Amino acid sequence: MLTDDVLEYIDRSVLCWLATVDPEACPNVSPKEIFAAFDQQTLVIANIASPVSISNIRANPKVCVSFIDVFSQKGYKLLGVAEVVERGDPRFPTFEAPLFDITKGAFRILSIIAVQVSKVEPIVAPSYRLVPGTTEASQIESAMRTYGVSPRKMQ
């Protein structure tokens, strides 16, 4: 399910966006900074300060997680079912390990959102399909101009 390409995008993404729905069917999208692939089917997300996301998952565990590379303007949308894994759960330390590698203990992880991925869909900027000649290189160049940045020089 989580192919090498999906795993690469997870690793290079700075944020992911977790979409949940509350009991009144009102959607909620929340950025998450600490997340990692746990295995080929599971994405783990640290709950550092996410009371609304946690409450929504307990009411309706269906979620969508998306992440993109802002320069290439490509990424993935993961659909699945989430579970809140509390600190007292015997699985917590195992799920926390890849998240701790990211935080180095800088944040207290209150609980973990474990998403069992059931569907993966690519996210691609419309320019790739609608603007003739659009390439990944041209998208990256355009984004770098827009953001006022340039590639880091390798030493």
Side-chain angles (χ1 to χ4, degrees), residues 35-53:
F35 60 98
F38 180 75
D39 58 29
Q40 297 290 323
Q41 287 292 137
T42 311
L43 183 76
V44 289
I45 303 169
N47 169 20
I48 297 168
S50 304
V52 173
S53 296

Side-chain angles (χ1 to χ4, degrees), residues 75-92:
Y76 287 95
K77 174 171 75 169
L78 310 179
L79 301 167
V81 175
E83 173 189 9
V84 178
V85 179
E86 301 289 350
R87 284 192 153 274
D89 188 303
R91 300 169 298 164
F92 186 90

Side-chain angles (χ1 to χ4, degrees), residues 2 6 27 29 52 60 63 73-74 77 83 98 105 107 122 126 148:
L2 300 180
V6 175
V29 178
V52 173
N60 180 349
V63 299
Q73 299 176 34
K74 291 181 178 179
K77 174 171 75 169
E83 173 189 9
F107 301 105

Side-chain angles (χ1 to χ4, degrees), residues 6-18:
V6 175
L7 295 172
E8 179 186 331
Y9 274 87
I10 290 170
D11 286 343
R12 72 185 200 205
S13 295
V14 176
L15 291 174
C16 72
W17 298 89
L18 175 65

Side-chain angles (χ1 to χ4, degrees), residues 132-148:
T134 297
T135 64
E136 190 166 303
S138 70
Q139 287 295 89
I140 291 170
E141 183 180 322
S142 174
M144 289 198 172
R145 273 194 317 272
T146 299
Y147 294 122

